[in-house]
Amino acid sequence: MSIRPTIETRKAVPTMEGAGVHLHRAFGFQDPSELDPFLLFDDFRNEVPEHYMRGFPWHPHRGIETITYVLNGTVEHGDSLGNTGTLGAGDVQWMTAGSGILHQEMPKGNAKGQMHGFQLWGNLPSAQKMTAPRYQDVQAKDIPEVIDDDGTVVRVIVGEFWGKTGPVDGIAADPQYLDISIPPGVKKTFRIDTYRRAFAYVFAGQGAFVDASAPSGVLLEKEVMGQEVNIRDMSGDRTLVRFGTGDEVTVQAGEEGVRFLLISGAPIEEPVAWHGPIVMNTQAELQQAMRDLRNGTFIKPAH
């Protein structure tokens, strides 16, 4: 087995989307090959309703899949196909935009006004760019949860892990999407298929992705529950960790434990022509999508 090296850690960047939703973007609208097949990852977390209530009004998507995972509050959604619904805490929606869809997402806080969720964009290969749109809405109760003897908890949203299979299926990137909580001081190793691109997103506590290449600079030592780790290796809230190639990832939880998403998928390795919420393979396809939007033919009839 080979440990995947950490090739980069970086903080998510504050930005605004939709009608003024304040969020943090871990990656997106830069180099689409960096985390192929994934294009964008947003952390929409807020305790100020004015910063999220106006939501994401009607907008188009084509050529991608969007994965929305809600931790706190709710997200009401509707689309051009007549679908409507509400995602609650712990729920997941996987939307395959395919040939084109218009939809809106309107977040609402919990009783304390808190809202927290994530959205990941996955690319579609050329052969599936114009497939029929579809939704997979999954309730929290239907997402399998595995608890290990050391207290580690893994929610298996997509893919197979520790004998459990996530409820979302038929996704182009053949992804694995895990929500992992590790107790204080516990060191844990997770297998990842070698052919996948992989990243982690830390959103609570701190953890060191150990036995990997250390960042440059002077390393300060600290003991965590009797185990020596490098402070400079510790990744905290809203940190993206990109991995190189290998078979597994090893995490050393800090004094408060750590919670993170571990996401991997098979790279598509095709050209990307990208404008806002539309991702195609060529500029000609992108221009056709824009013409379709202008002349009212963006939504394709069902066959």
Side-chain angles (χ1 to χ4, degrees), residues 30-46:
Q30 293 169 323
D31 178 4
S33 67
E34 181 180 79
L35 282 164
D36 178 21
F38 305 114
L39 298 164
L40 174 146
F41 183 87
D42 284 344
D43 177 348
F44 51 97
R45 181 188 334 181
N46 216 296

Side-chain angles (χ1 to χ4, degrees), residues 75-109:
V75 176
E76 295 180 357
H77 64 88
D79 68 31
S80 51
L81 303 177
N83 298 309
T84 60
T86 300
L87 299 176
D91 294 350
V92 174
Q93 181 192 81
W94 201 294
M95 184 197 75
T96 303
S99 60
I101 201 164
L102 298 171
H103 78 156
Q104 65 172 352
E105 300 151 301
M106 306 304 288
K108 297 185 183 299

Side-chain angles (χ1 to χ4, degrees), residues 43-210:
D43 177 348
F44 51 97
R45 181 188 334 181
N46 216 296
E47 297 182 357
V48 182
E50 292 77 15
H51 289 173
Y52 60 78
M53 289 294 287
R54 288 188 292 274
F56 306 91
W58 292 99
H59 58 280
H61 283 294
R62 176 179 285 180
I64 65 170
E65 302 182 283
T66 66
I67 305 93
T68 306
Y69 179 28
V70 178
L71 292 184
N72 250 325
T74 62
V75 176
E76 295 180 357
H77 64 88
D79 68 31
S80 51
L81 303 177
N83 298 309
T84 60
T86 300
L87 299 176
D91 294 350
V92 174
Q93 181 192 81
W94 201 294
M95 184 197 75
T96 303
S99 60
I101 201 164
L102 298 171
H103 78 156
Q104 65 172 352
E105 300 151 301
M106 306 304 288
K108 297 185 183 299
N110 61 16
K112 297 181 179 179
Q114 299 165 323
M115 177 68 221
H116 191 191
F118 307 106
Q119 188 166 91
L120 174 69
W121 290 12
N123 199 5
L124 282 170
S126 57
Q128 297 182 37
K129 288 286 189 190
M130 298 299 286
T131 192
R134 68 175 183 139
Y135 280 91
Q136 295 181 68
D137 283 349
V138 179
Q139 293 185 329
K141 65 181 178 61
D142 296 322
I143 297 174
E145 191 172 271
V146 188
I147 303 176
D148 206 7
D149 293 341
D150 58 16
T152 297
V153 179
V154 180
R155 298 191 81 214
V156 185
I157 296 168
V158 187
E160 295 184 17
F161 189 76
W162 286 353
K164 299 288 186 179
T165 300
V168 180
D169 63 4
I171 306 303
D174 185 28
Q176 187 179 55
Y177 191 130
L178 308 174
D179 176 355
I180 300 174
S181 299
I182 305 178
V186 172
K187 186 176 181 180
K188 203 74 179 170
T189 295
F190 303 93
R191 291 290 310 277
I192 298 178
D193 290 342
T194 308
Y195 70 91
R196 298 172 183 267
R197 293 261 170 81
F199 71 91
Y201 183 76
V202 179
F203 62 95
Q206 282 194 321
F209 291 85
V210 296

Side-chain angles (χ1 to χ4, degrees), residues 186-301:
V186 172
K187 186 176 181 180
K188 203 74 179 170
T189 295
F190 303 93
R191 291 290 310 277
I192 298 178
D193 290 342
T194 308
Y195 70 91
R196 298 172 183 267
R197 293 261 170 81
F199 71 91
Y201 183 76
V202 179
F203 62 95
Q206 282 194 321
F209 291 85
V210 296
D211 301 324
S213 56
S216 58
V218 178
L219 295 175
L220 304 175
E221 302 300 335
K222 181 179 181 181
E223 287 223 335
V224 178
M225 302 293 287
Q227 298 189 50
E228 197 176 74
V229 300
N230 294 322
I231 291 176
R232 290 287 296 277
D233 284 344
M234 298 291 277
S235 295
D237 188 21
R238 293 194 176 107
T239 300
L240 173 74
V241 182
R242 287 204 300 131
F243 302 108
T245 57
D247 302 304
E248 53 191 33
V249 168
T250 297
V251 188
Q252 169 70 63
E255 294 172 317
E256 299 175 1
V258 65
R259 187 175 179 186
F260 62 98
L261 303 178
L262 182 60
I263 299 173
S264 60
I268 294 172
E269 297 178 337
E270 291 181 352
V272 172
W274 186 355
H275 181 75
I278 298 172
V279 183
M280 305 303 289
N281 293 107
T282 68
Q283 286 298 316
E285 291 169 340
L286 202 56
Q287 290 161 8
Q288 182 62 54
M290 298 304 158
R291 285 194 295 271
D292 289 347
L293 274 171
R294 288 194 298 270
N295 64 25
T297 60
F298 188 78
I299 306 302
K300 305 301 179 186

